[in-house]
Amino acid sequence: MKISIKSIQLIFLLFCFSFTVSAQYQQAADTKEKLSFTNEKPYSTVKVNPVKGKKVKNVILMIGDGMGMTQISTAWVANHGALNIDNFPVIGLSRTYAANKLITDSGASGTAMATGEKTNYHSVGVDVQGNPLPSITDLASEKGLSTGIVVTCGLSDATPSAFCAKNPDRDKEEDIAADYLNCNVDFIFGGGRAQFMHRADKRDLMSEMQQKGYQVTRTWAETEKIVSGKVFAVLEDGQLPLAPVRGDLWQQASIKALDMLSQNKKGFFVMLEGSRIDDCGHWNDIPALMNEVFDFDQTIGKVLQWAEKDGETLVIVLADHETGGLTLLDGDISTGTVKGSYSTGGHSGIHVPVYAYGPQAQQFAGIYENTEIFQKIVTILNLK
Ligand SMILES: [Zn+2]
């Protein structure tokens, strides 16, 4: 029998394809073991109605990157049926698709929420033609409000970039890092020092930020001591470590930001991101995911207590998209046992939940485009 080169190529391609498919199923099967979480994390209850009036002075936007309904439900079971997120009285759903792609990324979705415009996959802070768009932080700062960005990823990563930088390509991280010199955000906390210091153009953006009037820090001990003025805290070369190593660092930094930004009588807007929830989704790693969601939820607890005391603060918790196509297959609330399965190493296209607490929270009920997040905040804070 004569076998042509073409048929050998075809057989080879089929072999590669079936190997890839079975590897994917193997990976999915690996996550289906039952996992028990015995250390119950504390949670607290806040008053459903903390409202002094209808006025909103401050807006806290908390983004769980890649945190869909299943990530929250799974953490709820793993934490024995209790999370701080259970406190939210108003729930909505956000449609996440990008201008040119159903399955979005943090760049396009972050831009939609930060600027009110759907843009292309992988763009940050620009429209579909690549024109720069004013972000909530730009508008808030023009109106005299204080602003903040507090994340666990690098500051030139997609979500924080969408609130400060303007670039059609999120991978141009050195250019994006340089945009921090122009976006006038008052409290900046995260990782990604390499993009500010070890650059092809040899610029030292840490020094340039200092010359701009920022108190530049590299450790939490230095950051903690600051009581007023502008802060640029970049604690790692890359991302901040995962929750088990990071501890309550992001939680502390978030509350520090609220305490400092609230010194402004006009109010503030802050974006707090649990960035690494997304990484765990990409890795299809449920135990790591639970640790990140628990840290996010612990911070929600602290933030809600802060907002309850203040009475003029609106807290919004949401996701930019879901990551991993996670399914909760089984579990036990009493033992904190969960069994889940992932369907992808990328993002999925499902609507994501929006939770709101405080004055004007009811504005976030319903089903809407992710761009509406921007519109609602701009209206509530009277930014335009
Ligand atoms: Zn992602």
Side-chain angles (χ1 to χ4, degrees), residues 250-272:
W250 179 68
Q251 200 183 118
Q252 287 193 59
S254 297
I255 298 303
K256 177 88 182 166
L258 306 188
D259 289 341
M260 284 189 64
L261 297 172
S262 60
Q263 291 168 8
N264 184 342
K265 296 269 178 292
K266 287 185 176 168
F268 67 83
F269 169 82
V270 69
M271 190 281 285
L272 313 173

PDB file of all heavy atoms in Angstrom, residues 250-272:
ATOM      1  N   TRP A 250      -3.234  43.403  51.038  1.00  0.00           N
ATOM      2  CA  TRP A 250      -4.142  44.145  50.152  1.00  0.00           C
ATOM      3  C   TRP A 250      -5.316  44.731  50.953  1.00  0.00           C
ATOM      4  O   TRP A 250      -5.752  45.854  50.710  1.00  0.00           O
ATOM      5  CB  TRP A 250      -4.650  43.229  49.025  1.00  0.00           C
ATOM      6  CG  TRP A 250      -5.602  43.901  48.087  1.00  0.00           C
ATOM      7  CD1 TRP A 250      -5.311  44.906  47.195  1.00  0.00           C
ATOM      8  CD2 TRP A 250      -6.998  43.643  47.955  1.00  0.00           C
ATOM      9  NE1 TRP A 250      -6.460  45.263  46.515  1.00  0.00           N
ATOM     10  CE2 TRP A 250      -7.491  44.507  46.960  1.00  0.00           C
ATOM     11  CE3 TRP A 250      -7.876  42.743  48.573  1.00  0.00           C
ATOM     12  CZ2 TRP A 250      -8.838  44.516  46.560  1.00  0.00           C
ATOM     13  CZ3 TRP A 250      -9.211  42.747  48.179  1.00  0.00           C
ATOM     14  CH2 TRP A 250      -9.681  43.622  47.190  1.00  0.00           C
ATOM     15  N   GLN A 251      -5.745  43.946  51.942  1.00  0.00           N
ATOM     16  CA  GLN A 251      -6.807  44.397  52.838  1.00  0.00           C
ATOM     17  C   GLN A 251      -6.366  45.668  53.581  1.00  0.00           C
ATOM     18  O   GLN A 251      -7.095  46.659  53.624  1.00  0.00           O
ATOM     19  CB  GLN A 251      -7.053  43.269  53.841  1.00  0.00           C
ATOM     20  CG  GLN A 251      -8.375  43.300  54.537  1.00  0.00           C
ATOM     21  CD  GLN A 251      -8.442  42.147  55.550  1.00  0.00           C
ATOM     22  OE1 GLN A 251      -8.562  42.373  56.731  1.00  0.00           O
ATOM     23  NE2 GLN A 251      -8.345  40.912  55.071  1.00  0.00           N
ATOM     24  N   GLN A 252      -5.161  45.628  54.141  1.00  0.00           N
ATOM     25  CA  GLN A 252      -4.627  46.785  54.873  1.00  0.00           C
ATOM     26  C   GLN A 252      -4.440  47.990  53.957  1.00  0.00           C
ATOM     27  O   GLN A 252      -4.767  49.119  54.336  1.00  0.00           O
ATOM     28  CB  GLN A 252      -3.270  46.436  55.495  1.00  0.00           C
ATOM     29  CG  GLN A 252      -3.359  45.500  56.682  1.00  0.00           C
ATOM     30  CD  GLN A 252      -2.015  45.488  57.417  1.00  0.00           C
ATOM     31  OE1 GLN A 252      -1.539  46.522  57.870  1.00  0.00           O
ATOM     32  NE2 GLN A 252      -1.405  44.326  57.486  1.00  0.00           N
ATOM     33  N   ALA A 253      -3.912  47.728  52.758  1.00  0.00           N
ATOM     34  CA  ALA A 253      -3.676  48.820  51.797  1.00  0.00           C
ATOM     35  C   ALA A 253      -5.007  49.453  51.379  1.00  0.00           C
ATOM     36  O   ALA A 253      -5.103  50.678  51.230  1.00  0.00           O
ATOM     37  CB  ALA A 253      -2.928  48.300  50.580  1.00  0.00           C
ATOM     38  N   SER A 254      -6.033  48.628  51.221  1.00  0.00           N
ATOM     39  CA  SER A 254      -7.352  49.133  50.805  1.00  0.00           C
ATOM     40  C   SER A 254      -7.924  50.058  51.875  1.00  0.00           C
ATOM     41  O   SER A 254      -8.422  51.140  51.573  1.00  0.00           O
ATOM     42  CB  SER A 254      -8.311  47.970  50.548  1.00  0.00           C
ATOM     43  OG  SER A 254      -7.830  47.182  49.474  1.00  0.00           O
ATOM     44  N   ILE A 255      -7.854  49.637  53.125  1.00  0.00           N
ATOM     45  CA  ILE A 255      -8.400  50.454  54.220  1.00  0.00           C
ATOM     46  C   ILE A 255      -7.566  51.727  54.414  1.00  0.00           C
ATOM     47  O   ILE A 255      -8.100  52.804  54.654  1.00  0.00           O
ATOM     48  CB  ILE A 255      -8.487  49.629  55.533  1.00  0.00           C
ATOM     49  CG1 ILE A 255      -9.437  48.433  55.343  1.00  0.00           C
ATOM     50  CG2 ILE A 255      -8.954  50.499  56.705  1.00  0.00           C
ATOM     51  CD1 ILE A 255     -10.860  48.774  54.905  1.00  0.00           C
ATOM     52  N   LYS A 256      -6.258  51.589  54.239  1.00  0.00           N
ATOM     53  CA  LYS A 256      -5.366  52.762  54.299  1.00  0.00           C
ATOM     54  C   LYS A 256      -5.792  53.788  53.238  1.00  0.00           C
ATOM     55  O   LYS A 256      -5.843  54.993  53.498  1.00  0.00           O
ATOM     56  CB  LYS A 256      -3.926  52.311  54.057  1.00  0.00           C
ATOM     57  CG  LYS A 256      -2.897  53.409  54.017  1.00  0.00           C
ATOM     58  CD  LYS A 256      -2.390  53.702  55.397  1.00  0.00           C
ATOM     59  CE  LYS A 256      -1.385  54.826  55.397  1.00  0.00           C
ATOM     60  NZ  LYS A 256      -1.156  55.330  56.759  1.00  0.00           N
ATOM     61  N   ALA A 257      -6.073  53.289  52.034  1.00  0.00           N
ATOM     62  CA  ALA A 257      -6.514  54.175  50.943  1.00  0.00           C
ATOM     63  C   ALA A 257      -7.804  54.902  51.335  1.00  0.00           C
ATOM     64  O   ALA A 257      -7.912  56.118  51.160  1.00  0.00           O
ATOM     65  CB  ALA A 257      -6.718  53.376  49.658  1.00  0.00           C
ATOM     66  N   LEU A 258      -8.779  54.181  51.910  1.00  0.00           N
ATOM     67  CA  LEU A 258     -10.046  54.805  52.310  1.00  0.00           C
ATOM     68  C   LEU A 258      -9.797  55.872  53.366  1.00  0.00           C
ATOM     69  O   LEU A 258     -10.351  56.978  53.295  1.00  0.00           O
ATOM     70  CB  LEU A 258     -11.031  53.763  52.852  1.00  0.00           C
ATOM     71  CG  LEU A 258     -11.353  52.538  51.989  1.00  0.00           C
ATOM     72  CD1 LEU A 258     -12.485  51.740  52.610  1.00  0.00           C
ATOM     73  CD2 LEU A 258     -11.691  52.935  50.567  1.00  0.00           C
ATOM     74  N   ASP A 259      -8.972  55.564  54.349  1.00  0.00           N
ATOM     75  CA  ASP A 259      -8.691  56.514  55.420  1.00  0.00           C
ATOM     76  C   ASP A 259      -8.015  57.780  54.888  1.00  0.00           C
ATOM     77  O   ASP A 259      -8.345  58.889  55.297  1.00  0.00           O
ATOM     78  CB  ASP A 259      -7.810  55.865  56.504  1.00  0.00           C
ATOM     79  CG  ASP A 259      -8.588  54.833  57.319  1.00  0.00           C
ATOM     80  OD1 ASP A 259      -9.840  54.887  57.301  1.00  0.00           O
ATOM     81  OD2 ASP A 259      -7.946  53.975  57.953  1.00  0.00           O
ATOM     82  N   MET A 260      -7.068  57.595  53.954  1.00  0.00           N
ATOM     83  CA  MET A 260      -6.360  58.770  53.435  1.00  0.00           C
ATOM     84  C   MET A 260      -7.212  59.561  52.441  1.00  0.00           C
ATOM     85  O   MET A 260      -7.272  60.785  52.502  1.00  0.00           O
ATOM     86  CB  MET A 260      -5.040  58.345  52.791  1.00  0.00           C
ATOM     87  CG  MET A 260      -3.989  58.027  53.849  1.00  0.00           C
ATOM     88  SD  MET A 260      -2.366  57.763  53.153  1.00  0.00           S
ATOM     89  CE  MET A 260      -1.993  59.360  52.451  1.00  0.00           C
ATOM     90  N   LEU A 261      -7.894  58.865  51.530  1.00  0.00           N
ATOM     91  CA  LEU A 261      -8.683  59.568  50.504  1.00  0.00           C
ATOM     92  C   LEU A 261      -9.859  60.317  51.122  1.00  0.00           C
ATOM     93  O   LEU A 261     -10.293  61.346  50.602  1.00  0.00           O
ATOM     94  CB  LEU A 261      -9.163  58.579  49.430  1.00  0.00           C
ATOM     95  CG  LEU A 261      -8.054  57.893  48.619  1.00  0.00           C
ATOM     96  CD1 LEU A 261      -8.644  56.803  47.720  1.00  0.00           C
ATOM     97  CD2 LEU A 261      -7.284  58.910  47.771  1.00  0.00           C
ATOM     98  N   SER A 262     -10.369  59.803  52.246  1.00  0.00           N
ATOM     99  CA  SER A 262     -11.545  60.436  52.871  1.00  0.00           C
ATOM    100  C   SER A 262     -11.179  61.741  53.593  1.00  0.00           C
ATOM    101  O   SER A 262     -12.055  62.427  54.112  1.00  0.00           O
ATOM    102  CB  SER A 262     -12.231  59.466  53.831  1.00  0.00           C
ATOM    103  OG  SER A 262     -11.335  59.069  54.844  1.00  0.00           O
ATOM    104  N   GLN A 263      -9.892  62.094  53.609  1.00  0.00           N
ATOM    105  CA  GLN A 263      -9.506  63.403  54.168  1.00  0.00           C
ATOM    106  C   GLN A 263     -10.010  64.540  53.286  1.00  0.00           C
ATOM    107  O   GLN A 263     -10.104  65.684  53.720  1.00  0.00           O
ATOM    108  CB  GLN A 263      -7.973  63.486  54.293  1.00  0.00           C
ATOM    109  CG  GLN A 263      -7.403  62.558  55.355  1.00  0.00           C
ATOM    110  CD  GLN A 263      -5.875  62.444  55.258  1.00  0.00           C
ATOM    111  OE1 GLN A 263      -5.220  63.159  54.508  1.00  0.00           O
ATOM    112  NE2 GLN A 263      -5.315  61.523  56.017  1.00  0.00           N
ATOM    113  N   ASN A 264     -10.314  64.227  52.031  1.00  0.00           N
ATOM    114  CA  ASN A 264     -10.843  65.231  51.103  1.00  0.00           C
ATOM    115  C   ASN A 264     -12.340  65.426  51.356  1.00  0.00           C
ATOM    116  O   ASN A 264     -13.125  64.498  51.186  1.00  0.00           O
ATOM    117  CB  ASN A 264     -10.590  64.763  49.658  1.00  0.00           C
ATOM    118  CG  ASN A 264     -11.015  65.804  48.626  1.00  0.00           C
ATOM    119  OD1 ASN A 264     -11.788  66.718  48.922  1.00  0.00           O
ATOM    120  ND2 ASN A 264     -10.519  65.651  47.415  1.00  0.00           N
ATOM    121  N   LYS A 265     -12.724  66.640  51.740  1.00  0.00           N
ATOM    122  CA  LYS A 265     -14.130  66.945  52.072  1.00  0.00           C
ATOM    123  C   LYS A 265     -15.056  66.749  50.868  1.00  0.00           C
ATOM    124  O   LYS A 265     -16.258  66.544  51.013  1.00  0.00           O
ATOM    125  CB  LYS A 265     -14.252  68.392  52.572  1.00  0.00           C
ATOM    126  CG  LYS A 265     -13.513  68.662  53.866  1.00  0.00           C
ATOM    127  CD  LYS A 265     -14.414  68.441  55.092  1.00  0.00           C
ATOM    128  CE  LYS A 265     -13.692  68.660  56.411  1.00  0.00           C
ATOM    129  NZ  LYS A 265     -12.650  67.625  56.704  1.00  0.00           N
ATOM    130  N   LYS A 266     -14.497  66.866  49.666  1.00  0.00           N
ATOM    131  CA  LYS A 266     -15.317  66.719  48.449  1.00  0.00           C
ATOM    132  C   LYS A 266     -15.644  65.266  48.124  1.00  0.00           C
ATOM    133  O   LYS A 266     -16.500  64.982  47.304  1.00  0.00           O
ATOM    134  CB  LYS A 266     -14.598  67.355  47.261  1.00  0.00           C
ATOM    135  CG  LYS A 266     -14.597  68.870  47.291  1.00  0.00           C
ATOM    136  CD  LYS A 266     -13.975  69.409  46.024  1.00  0.00           C
ATOM    137  CE  LYS A 266     -14.056  70.937  45.995  1.00  0.00           C
ATOM    138  NZ  LYS A 266     -13.220  71.486  44.916  1.00  0.00           N
ATOM    139  N   GLY A 267     -14.900  64.319  48.739  1.00  0.00           N
ATOM    140  CA  GLY A 267     -15.163  62.901  48.493  1.00  0.00           C
ATOM    141  C   GLY A 267     -14.086  62.240  47.658  1.00  0.00           C
ATOM    142  O   GLY A 267     -13.079  62.861  47.312  1.00  0.00           O
ATOM    143  N   PHE A 268     -14.309  60.950  47.343  1.00  0.00           N
ATOM    144  CA  PHE A 268     -13.297  60.219  46.567  1.00  0.00           C
ATOM    145  C   PHE A 268     -13.919  59.110  45.726  1.00  0.00           C
ATOM    146  O   PHE A 268     -15.041  58.679  45.968  1.00  0.00           O
ATOM    147  CB  PHE A 268     -12.224  59.640  47.490  1.00  0.00           C
ATOM    148  CG  PHE A 268     -12.692  58.529  48.422  1.00  0.00           C
ATOM    149  CD1 PHE A 268     -12.784  57.212  47.987  1.00  0.00           C
ATOM    150  CD2 PHE A 268     -13.032  58.810  49.749  1.00  0.00           C
ATOM    151  CE1 PHE A 268     -13.203  56.195  48.840  1.00  0.00           C
ATOM    152  CE2 PHE A 268     -13.454  57.798  50.610  1.00  0.00           C
ATOM    153  CZ  PHE A 268     -13.548  56.488  50.152  1.00  0.00           C
ATOM    154  N   PHE A 269     -13.137  58.676  44.742  1.00  0.00           N
ATOM    155  CA  PHE A 269     -13.433  57.451  43.984  1.00  0.00           C
ATOM    156  C   PHE A 269     -12.209  56.554  44.094  1.00  0.00           C
ATOM    157  O   PHE A 269     -11.076  56.994  43.849  1.00  0.00           O
ATOM    158  CB  PHE A 269     -13.709  57.743  42.503  1.00  0.00           C
ATOM    159  CG  PHE A 269     -13.750  56.476  41.676  1.00  0.00           C
ATOM    160  CD1 PHE A 269     -14.900  55.709  41.616  1.00  0.00           C
ATOM    161  CD2 PHE A 269     -12.609  56.019  41.015  1.00  0.00           C
ATOM    162  CE1 PHE A 269     -14.926  54.514  40.896  1.00  0.00           C
ATOM    163  CE2 PHE A 269     -12.623  54.816  40.297  1.00  0.00           C
ATOM    164  CZ  PHE A 269     -13.791  54.073  40.241  1.00  0.00           C
ATOM    165  N   VAL A 270     -12.418  55.286  44.466  1.00  0.00           N
ATOM    166  CA  VAL A 270     -11.295  54.354  44.517  1.00  0.00           C
ATOM    167  C   VAL A 270     -11.668  53.034  43.842  1.00  0.00           C
ATOM    168  O   VAL A 270     -12.818  52.585  43.929  1.00  0.00           O
ATOM    169  CB  VAL A 270     -10.821  54.118  45.972  1.00  0.00           C
ATOM    170  CG1 VAL A 270     -11.836  53.336  46.788  1.00  0.00           C
ATOM    171  CG2 VAL A 270      -9.466  53.413  46.016  1.00  0.00           C
ATOM    172  N   MET A 271     -10.702  52.455  43.136  1.00  0.00           N
ATOM    173  CA  MET A 271     -10.881  51.141  42.523  1.00  0.00           C
ATOM    174  C   MET A 271      -9.961  50.166  43.255  1.00  0.00           C
ATOM    175  O   MET A 271      -8.738  50.361  43.282  1.00  0.00           O
ATOM    176  CB  MET A 271     -10.535  51.206  41.029  1.00  0.00           C
ATOM    177  CG  MET A 271     -10.917  49.970  40.240  1.00  0.00           C
ATOM    178  SD  MET A 271      -9.780  48.581  40.414  1.00  0.00           S
ATOM    179  CE  MET A 271      -8.403  49.108  39.398  1.00  0.00           C
ATOM    180  N   LEU A 272     -10.555  49.147  43.877  1.00  0.00           N
ATOM    181  CA  LEU A 272      -9.786  48.123  44.597  1.00  0.00           C
ATOM    182  C   LEU A 272      -9.942  46.816  43.814  1.00  0.00           C
ATOM    183  O   LEU A 272     -11.066  46.371  43.599  1.00  0.00           O
ATOM    184  CB  LEU A 272     -10.336  47.928  46.013  1.00  0.00           C
ATOM    185  CG  LEU A 272     -10.633  49.174  46.865  1.00  0.00           C
ATOM    186  CD1 LEU A 272     -11.335  48.778  48.167  1.00  0.00           C
ATOM    187  CD2 LEU A 272      -9.337  49.934  47.161  1.00  0.00           C
TER     188      LEU A 272
END
